[in-house]
Amino acid sequence: MRGRIAVLFIMPIFLAALYQSRNTLPLLHRWPSSSPAVLVNSLTRVYRTMSTFNHPDYAVPVTLPEGLSKEQLLGFHPFRSWISTLENSLSLQAGNRSHPFHQDPYVLRSVTVQSFDLFGSKRLGFLKLVAEVTNSAGEKLPGSIFLRGPSVAMLVILIPDGAPADTDERYVLLTVQPRIPAGALEFVELPAGMVDEEGQFVGTAAMEIEEELGLKIPTSELKCLSEMAGIPPQNDYDKLQDGNLPHAMYPSAGGCDEYIPIYMHERRVPRDTLKDWTGRLTGLREDGEKISLKLVKMQDLWREGARDAKSLAAVALWEGLRREGKL
């Protein structure tokens, strides 16, 4: 009888800890097999390291790992943007008969933050979380997400002075730098970074462009190719959906929230200067230099940047907009 009571006492703790820590900790490798008491203590410790609160705007339970506070999470712009965008998308199901999920709408049931990275001592940088999104039939949508927020890419086109307006003699700046997530130390890609509060293209790539070529890129001289290629809505649902997502390229929408608007900066430079840059930037990288620049012909960008989604998106947008007479 006592054994049955013990089992009844242990099972709720076991199930609660298993639910809170699913996909978070490798529990099977932590569970001792010698003592039921040790097993209960281990599971209880795991359960206590997690904390849960209801989101103040959406009443969704959010579970946090040890070391991450509610204030840190709610102050993290990528999380606020992601959950707001998702809830807006989910809200379109019930009110639009043309929506594919109108009959049985999906709902965000819970969010479990599994891990996080800090930039410095306090600033939240990256999140790994699981969102449980199901409908009334119990069907689930994939919800494992790496949250990092947006960035921007820059298509910098240089044209020699004296060339006609419709010339094909265009050159593009690329960066060559280590990208450890790709397992590469010399990854060729379109310059990436961000636009700061003063309207300047900033970041490591922007600093390298300024140091090597003396080029500063203000927003007043930028064109957002992503916005220029905006898809015209066909119906009221398209209008709502189009206003919910940014005009940008999503390099890995199946697992990451990052989106990248593609900007273009076109500038004419003296032919002698362009020739000097071409010779200098195609030379060998200096010892220990972490990032360098590469100058390639625009017509070769699709090949030179074939591994880089930003480069391929820029080529597609630039060529498409030129065909439509928008560039």
Side-chain angles (χ1 to χ4, degrees), residues 95-117:
N96 296 275
R97 294 184 179 276
S98 61
H99 198 289
F101 303 142
H102 174 73
Q103 294 298 326
D104 192 1
Y106 285 88
V107 176
L108 176 62
R109 310 288 181 181
S110 66
V111 174
T112 301
V113 180
Q114 298 173 320
S115 61
F116 61 95
D117 286 330

Side-chain angles (χ1 to χ4, degrees), residues 101 103-107 109 133-141:
F101 303 142
Q103 294 298 326
D104 192 1
Y106 285 88
V107 176
R109 310 288 181 181
V133 181
T134 63
N135 61 11
S136 62
E139 298 171 327
K140 182 182 293 188
L141 298 178

Side-chain angles (χ1 to χ4, degrees), residues 19 21 32 49 72 119 123 125 137 167 174 180 200 217 240 266:
Y19 177 80
S21 59
T49 61
Q72 282 177 303
F119 291 170
R123 188 165 69 91
T167 183
L174 298 175
I180 298 305
Q200 299 288 333
I217 304 176
L240 291 169
E266 191 170 86

Side-chain angles (χ1 to χ4, degrees), residues 16-278:
L18 183 61
Y19 177 80
Q20 293 288 346
S21 59
R22 67 196 189 285
N23 301 320
T24 305
L25 296 172
L27 289 178
L28 291 177
H29 298 289
R30 295 167 57 95
W31 288 347
S33 58
S34 57
S35 169
V38 174
L39 171 60
V40 171
N41 289 336
S42 177
L43 289 172
T44 303
R45 282 198 303 273
V46 171
Y47 180 73
R48 285 174 179 170
T49 61
M50 312 292 286
S51 61
T52 301
F53 70 93
N54 282 337
H55 193 283
D57 296 326
Y58 305 110
V60 174
V62 180
T63 300
L64 304 177
E66 184 178 14
L68 180 63
S69 70
K70 170 184 174 181
E71 291 72 25
Q72 282 177 303
L73 181 68
L74 295 181
F76 187 45
H77 182 267
F79 177 77
R80 297 200 312 269
S81 176
W82 165 76
I83 196 169
S84 171
T85 302
L86 176 60
E87 288 287 2
N88 283 337
S89 293
L90 292 172
S91 70
L92 300 179
Q93 302 170 99
N96 296 275
R97 294 184 179 276
S98 61
H99 198 289
F101 303 142
H102 174 73
Q103 294 298 326
D104 192 1
Y106 285 88
V107 176
L108 176 62
R109 310 288 181 181
S110 66
V111 174
T112 301
V113 180
Q114 298 173 320
S115 61
F116 61 95
D117 286 330
L118 297 178
F119 291 170
S121 59
K122 295 182 178 180
R123 188 165 69 91
L124 197 54
F126 300 134
L127 284 181
K128 170 64 177 65
L129 58 85
V130 173
E132 185 176 359
V133 181
T134 63
N135 61 11
S136 62
E139 298 171 327
K140 182 182 293 188
L141 298 178
S144 294
I145 307 158
F146 174 63
L147 278 184
R148 54 151 298 162
S151 59
V152 301
M154 192 68 61
L155 176 64
V156 180
I157 299 177
L158 304 174
I159 304 173
D161 275 345
D166 59 350
T167 183
D168 288 330
E169 190 179 5
R170 285 176 164 85
Y171 297 84
V172 177
L173 277 175
L174 298 175
T175 58
V176 183
Q177 61 185 313
R179 288 300 194 190
I180 298 305
L185 297 181
E186 293 185 305
F187 195 83
V188 179
E189 60 183 301
L190 217 60
M194 59 180 290
V195 175
D196 68 7
E197 295 178 356
E198 297 180 356
Q200 299 288 333
F201 175 55
V202 297
T204 306
M207 291 190 334
E208 183 69 11
I209 291 172
E210 183 175 353
E211 288 174 6
E212 290 287 342
L213 307 180
L215 294 179
K216 283 189 175 181
I217 304 176
T219 53
S220 60
E221 298 178 13
L222 296 179
K223 292 183 178 180
C224 185
L225 303 185
S226 301
E227 289 185 1
M228 292 173 68
I231 304 172
Q234 302 298 317
N235 51 49
D236 290 341
Y237 166 65
D238 281 351
K239 290 178 182 178
L240 291 169
Q241 181 66 26
D242 187 58
N244 192 33
L245 295 176
H247 292 286
M249 181 268 294
Y250 284 76
S252 186
C256 182
D257 71 313
E258 182 185 21
Y259 60 86
I260 307 174
I262 309 293
Y263 287 88
M264 183 188 78
H265 173 73
E266 191 170 86
R267 178 178 297 197
R268 286 184 175 268
V269 297
R271 189 175 290 276
D272 290 342
T273 301
L274 188 58
K275 184 178 180 180
D276 174 64
W277 288 350
T278 303

